[in-house]
Amino acid sequence: MGYIYFEGTIASGLGRGAYFLSMGYYKGKLKNKLGFEPYLGTLNLHIGREKSGLLNKIMPIRIGSFKKGGKTYGGASCYRIKINGIDAAIIVPDLTEHGEKMVEVIAPVNLKSELKIKDGDKIKIELAQ
């Protein structure tokens, strides 16, 4: 499996990732399909429009939508990545308030704490093809 390398700049998020990642359905599906249970929160990266187009060329790992309590929760497309050797994934919810220049990253650990990074820092991403 080959990788495409690019950089992203860490940005503040909306604070909603933890809510969705704490839901049993998403937790179970992500663990089953990605091989890890995600930390309850996402790392937001500004990657630029030209980089976001790379995702369109790669087959996503799909997490389907589901219904609970009369409400429908959307699905998401996931793309395997590595950040400083840590297995992670870009997750693109079907319903999102982020523009195409911003992506959310999930990992089994809190990436900001683990890598000692903060908003505004640049990090290198390895995107699996």
Side-chain angles (χ1 to χ4, degrees):
M1 177 183 314
Y3 286 90
I4 299 170
Y5 300 90
F6 62 92
E7 280 190 343
T9 303
I10 299 167
S12 294
L14 302 171
R16 296 188 187 137
Y19 170 74
F20 293 104
L21 292 173
S22 71
M23 298 178 88
Y25 174 84
Y26 290 129
K27 261 171 54 170
K29 291 291 185 187
L30 291 167
K31 183 172 184 172
N32 178 265
K33 293 189 176 206
L34 297 175
F36 63 84
E37 186 171 309
Y39 168 79
L40 297 183
T42 63
L43 178 71
N44 293 277
L45 295 177
H46 184 272
I47 61 170
R49 177 169 283 140
E50 69 282 355
K51 300 295 188 289
S52 67
L54 291 172
L55 299 180
N56 296 331
K57 299 174 184 172
I58 298 170
M59 180 66 71
I61 298 165
R62 282 293 300 161
I63 306 297
S65 61
F66 73 102
K67 290 185 179 188
K68 180 180 179 184
K71 185 173 179 178
T72 300
Y73 294 87
S77 295
C78 300
Y79 305 87
R80 292 182 192 278
I81 63 170
K82 284 187 182 280
I83 298 177
N84 289 7
I86 298 172
D87 288 328
I90 291 173
I91 185 166
V92 182
D94 293 345
L95 304 170
T96 182
E97 294 181 29
H98 291 299
E100 62 184 38
K101 295 179 185 179
M102 186 76 70
V103 295
E104 295 179 88
V105 174
I106 56 174
V109 296
N110 179 327
L111 289 167
K112 281 187 173 178
S113 297
E114 189 77 18
L115 301 175
K116 297 174 179 49
I117 52 179
K118 62 188 180 313
D119 289 356
D121 288 348
K122 290 189 183 294
I123 58 171
K124 188 175 176 181
I125 305 296
E126 300 174 47
L127 173 64
Q129 302 189 80

